[in-house]
Amino acid sequence: MKFTHLTQSGDAYMVDVTAKTPTVREATAIGKVECSPTVMQALRDGTVPKGDVLAVARIAGIAAAKRVPQLLPLAHTIGVHGAQVDLQLQEDHVAITAIVRTADRTGVEMEALTAVSVAALAIVDMVKGVDRSAQITDCKIIHKAGGRSGDWHRAGYEK
């Protein structure tokens, strides 16, 4: 197996994408924050003491998608041309979906995962005063489109 981000001597480096042609790319990630019945009721009623949890989480996720190169040392700085974070209250969790788009030289999978992860962290931060048992689970890429490898769907998540 050849590691794309290691030199022959084993040193990490940032892959040069200069020669790649920019293409339209998209990635979708999902995750969830499992919450107690008390937290879920407070979310439904809008009574979480820190305020509008879903609005804060949505903005946190979008902002995070634009900061990936600051967090992941080998990630390229790319134009995040679209970022959507959707939060749905389910029976025992908040379902998070992030869709990130670009027209650039490399994909946006890390941006989508980061958006979901930070949105989830924002939820946990906002509800911890109500109940500290909230937990982040199941963060994963379910779809990517564009680039050299084309379209990919995680089994069970086809559109």
Side-chain angles (χ1 to χ4, degrees):
M1 176 186 292
K2 182 178 186 261
F3 294 101
T4 59
H5 287 70
L6 295 178
T7 64
Q8 286 185 345
S9 61
D11 297 326
Y13 78 104
M14 185 179 206
V15 173
D16 185 353
V17 297
T18 306
K20 291 176 83 175
T21 302
T23 61
V24 174
R25 299 159 185 265
E26 178 180 290
T28 303
I30 61 170
K32 62 184 179 179
V33 179
E34 296 174 350
C35 299
S36 68
T38 302
V39 168
M40 293 308 300
Q41 192 60 52
L43 289 168
R44 283 186 191 86
D45 295 342
T47 59
V48 175
K50 285 192 172 184
D52 189 342
V53 175
L54 301 184
V56 170
R58 186 175 298 107
I59 297 301
I62 292 167
K66 300 187 293 184
R67 301 211 184 302
V68 168
Q70 296 166 350
L71 301 169
L72 302 176
L74 300 181
H76 292 87
T77 300
I78 62 171
V80 172
H81 299 131
Q84 175 183 339
V85 176
D86 182 50
L87 302 120
Q88 297 291 320
L89 298 180
Q90 302 297 324
E91 183 178 338
D92 63 349
H93 68 277
V94 180
I96 306 166
T97 302
I99 302 171
V100 180
R101 293 179 195 85
T102 190
D104 218 317
R105 291 177 168 85
T106 189
V108 285
E109 293 92 338
M110 294 303 101
E111 287 74 8
L113 279 170
T114 301
V116 167
S117 299
V118 172
L121 287 168
I123 292 168
V124 171
D125 179 52
M126 297 283 289
V127 304
K128 69 184 181 199
V130 177
D131 184 353
R132 294 191 181 277
S133 68
Q135 64 181 355
I136 300 166
T137 66
D138 301 318
C139 289
K140 57 191 159 210
I141 294 290
I142 61 167
H143 172 252
K144 63 87 56 195
R148 181 188 37 146
S149 61
D151 288 2
W152 174 85
H153 293 273
R154 181 176 296 278
Y157 293 93
E158 292 83 4
K159 287 186 177 183

